[in-house]
Amino acid sequence: MSTGIRPLVVSVPNEELAADLQPLPDGVEVIAWGMDGPAPRAEIDIVVPPYMSVAVIMPRLAGVRTRLVQGQSIGYEGIAEHLPPGHTFANAASVHEASTAELAVALTLAAQRSIPDFVRAQGEHRWAAQFTQSLADRRVLLLGYGGVGKAVAARLAGFEVDVTAVASRARTEDGVSVHGVDELGELLPSAEIVIVSLPGGDSTRGFVDDAFLSALPDGALLVNVGRGSLVDTDALVDHLQRGRLRAALDVTDPEPLPADHPLWSAPGAVIAPHVGGASSAMRPRIARLVRRQIERMLAGEEPLNVVIPA
């Protein structure tokens, strides 16, 4: 006999995530909606949009009643302007930090140890030994000390480096002395490697500009796993072409990087196509987060990671 109680309805973008969510408590209905067409229901409690296309498909939530829109990315810049009124949006903090930190360290090591040179030599069947830069004993400045920055710091702990953390404000966090961005003028001249994981948005656009880059010592390495908009690309290309600096980038501005862009061929540049979170760790972690949101909603608790309230 029907109890008359409506199930908690959750839409996910594909059948794979629907399967990953199992088992779920009684009273939960999961439907697959890739948001490539009209909503299958007028009321969906939790909507999980497709990965990396949230801003494009947000308008399709118009006319749909939701209690939570659960994004699959950490970043959420630009979402508010596309999200119809009345929806609460949560980001995917806890899902991508480990993978993004892995890539940050991998890019750093690749640039320091000249791995791209060896890969090119392998393709040409050349034995091309060379003396390279170490990661050990280097002075590393972490610009951004949120989830990704902390994950990078944890992974650098075994590399015998001198790490300095910088965030929007000075503080002591978990025993770590974090410097404020107002101290960068004193810190940049001695930074041999800068790993950037700041969020995007208007407040950080072009933060790494020519003055920032000019303050770094010759030969310094800039690693960006935050957002491409953080860096003044023209200024960076200038420093690379002059041999002043090196760069290892998972994100660029513009993005995708056009085929004829000078950044591709700039000396000292290593470029990955925005794949920081794109690893096998993502599926189980996004499923874990969505399950936690379901459990909290069933218990009458507030959702996690809300960055845009209704």
Side-chain angles (χ1 to χ4, degrees):
M1 186 175 74
S2 172
T3 62
I5 299 175
R6 184 181 71 80
L8 184 79
V9 179
V10 181
S11 78
V12 295
N14 51 58
E15 296 291 351
E16 289 79 10
L17 182 52
D20 290 343
L21 289 176
Q22 302 302 324
L24 283 170
D26 292 340
V28 178
E29 180 185 1
V30 178
I31 58 177
W33 178 36
M35 300 187 71
D36 51 356
R41 306 283 178 87
E43 187 171 350
I44 304 174
D45 296 287
I46 301 176
V47 172
V48 183
Y51 182 49
M52 296 291 282
S53 59
V54 177
V56 177
I57 47 79
M58 282 295 102
R60 293 173 188 163
L61 288 172
V64 182
R65 294 188 300 278
T66 70
R67 294 167 65 186
L68 180 67
V69 180
Q70 175 60 64
Q72 296 194 63
S73 299
I74 298 176
Y76 55 93
E77 63 272 14
I79 299 299
E81 61 191 82
H82 298 285
L83 187 68
H87 298 281
T88 297
F89 184 86
N91 75 346
S94 77
V95 173
H96 300 291
E97 288 84 346
S99 290
T100 303
E102 286 176 356
L103 186 62
V105 175
L107 287 170
T108 303
L109 285 168
Q112 289 294 97
R113 299 308 304 267
S114 299
I115 301 301
D117 290 345
F118 300 142
V119 172
R120 283 189 288 267
Q122 180 183 352
E124 298 167 359
H125 298 189
R126 289 189 298 110
W127 189 267
Q130 62 173 286
F131 191 87
T132 65
Q133 296 293 317
S134 70
L135 178 53
D137 303 330
R138 301 283 70 81
R139 294 183 297 274
V140 180
L141 188 150
L142 301 181
L143 182 53
Y145 200 64
V148 173
K150 292 174 185 175
V152 172
R155 282 152 183 79
L156 287 175
F159 282 94
E160 302 178 31
V161 296
D162 179 5
V163 174
T164 299
V166 178
S168 58
R169 58 180 177 82
R171 60 185 184 270
T172 299
E173 188 168 342
D174 299 328
V176 176
S177 178
V178 182
H179 297 263
V181 292
D182 57 327
E183 301 176 66
L184 277 175
E186 304 166 16
L187 298 171
L188 290 176
S190 61
E192 297 170 289
I193 300 170
V194 177
I195 301 177
V196 184
S197 63
L198 293 173
D202 292 339
S203 63
T204 58
R205 185 175 304 278
F207 188 87
V208 180
D209 57 10
D210 183 66
F212 182 111
L213 297 170
S214 296
L216 292 170
D218 289 350
L221 172 66
L222 176 74
V223 181
N224 188 7
V225 293
R227 285 292 183 266
S229 59
L230 298 169
V231 178
D232 181 332
T233 303
D234 291 341
L236 177 60
V237 168
D238 175 61
H239 282 266
L240 294 173
Q241 290 178 338
R242 289 189 284 120
R244 256 267 305 144
L245 301 175
R246 298 170 296 132
L249 312 170
D250 181 44
V251 288
T252 62
D253 183 23
E255 189 175 298
L257 197 62
D260 60 351
H261 199 283
L263 187 57
W264 283 116
S265 55
V270 179
I271 300 172
H274 200 155
V275 291
S279 81
S280 58
M282 179 181 171
R283 275 184 58 177
R285 289 177 183 233
I286 190 65
R288 188 183 312 154
L289 175 59
V290 174
R291 277 198 300 270
R292 290 180 68 190
Q293 300 288 41
I294 291 170
E295 291 163 0
R296 293 178 72 87
M297 195 167 285
L298 289 172
E301 299 173 353
E302 292 297 312
L304 302 168
N305 302 345
V306 171
V307 290
I308 304 174

